[in-house]
Amino acid sequence: MRLSHARERLEAASRTSDAVVIAKLHVQGAALRSGRITSGDILLAVDDRPVGADVDLAGRLIRGEMHTRVTITVRKTDGSQDTVQLQRAYISGHPTNEAPASILGF
């Protein structure tokens, strides 16, 4: 999952807010396989911890030990909210795999 910092119009909140937007899903990633997270979704929280507009915090919270679970809460482009539990996995050739062996992305 690639995250980006973008100024987004949050229709459901009727206000403009900085947010972490999911820019792209990795073809081997659990987020894409779930079928419930899509490009353009706004990342609200990781394991119930709000991320606001902090892309670095979101990335740190998403990464973790391989085969552990992480819960992602997003606001969909239609304004609805969804919470998805994903299992972290090794992604061949992904930059997060350059981190220490115990810290892998999904």
Side-chain angles (χ1 to χ4, degrees):
M1 175 180 342
R2 178 169 294 159
L3 306 174
S4 67
H5 184 295
R7 190 128 182 114
E8 286 293 315
R9 178 84 182 149
L10 302 178
E11 297 296 335
S14 298
R15 63 181 175 82
T16 300
S17 176
D18 283 330
V20 175
V21 178
I22 298 172
K24 185 176 180 182
L25 300 174
H26 195 285
V27 296
Q28 297 174 2
L32 180 65
R33 285 193 315 272
S34 77
R36 292 174 53 192
I37 297 176
T38 58
S39 296
D41 288 353
I42 297 169
L43 182 61
L44 301 175
V46 178
D47 288 334
D48 295 320
R49 183 169 173 190
V51 297
D54 192 338
V55 173
D56 294 328
L57 172 63
R60 285 192 309 272
L61 294 173
I62 289 169
R63 285 188 298 273
E65 289 188 45
M66 191 167 63
H67 302 300
T68 60
R69 294 199 175 271
V70 61
T71 302
I72 306 293
T73 303
V74 296
R75 181 172 318 282
K76 308 299 287 175
T77 56
D78 67 3
S80 65
Q81 187 171 308
D82 194 10
T83 300
V84 182
Q85 191 174 69
L86 303 172
Q87 183 172 325
R88 295 174 176 104
Y90 179 85
I91 296 177
S92 177
H94 195 275
T96 59
N97 294 331
E98 301 303 318
S102 64
I103 306 296
L104 297 174
F106 64 87

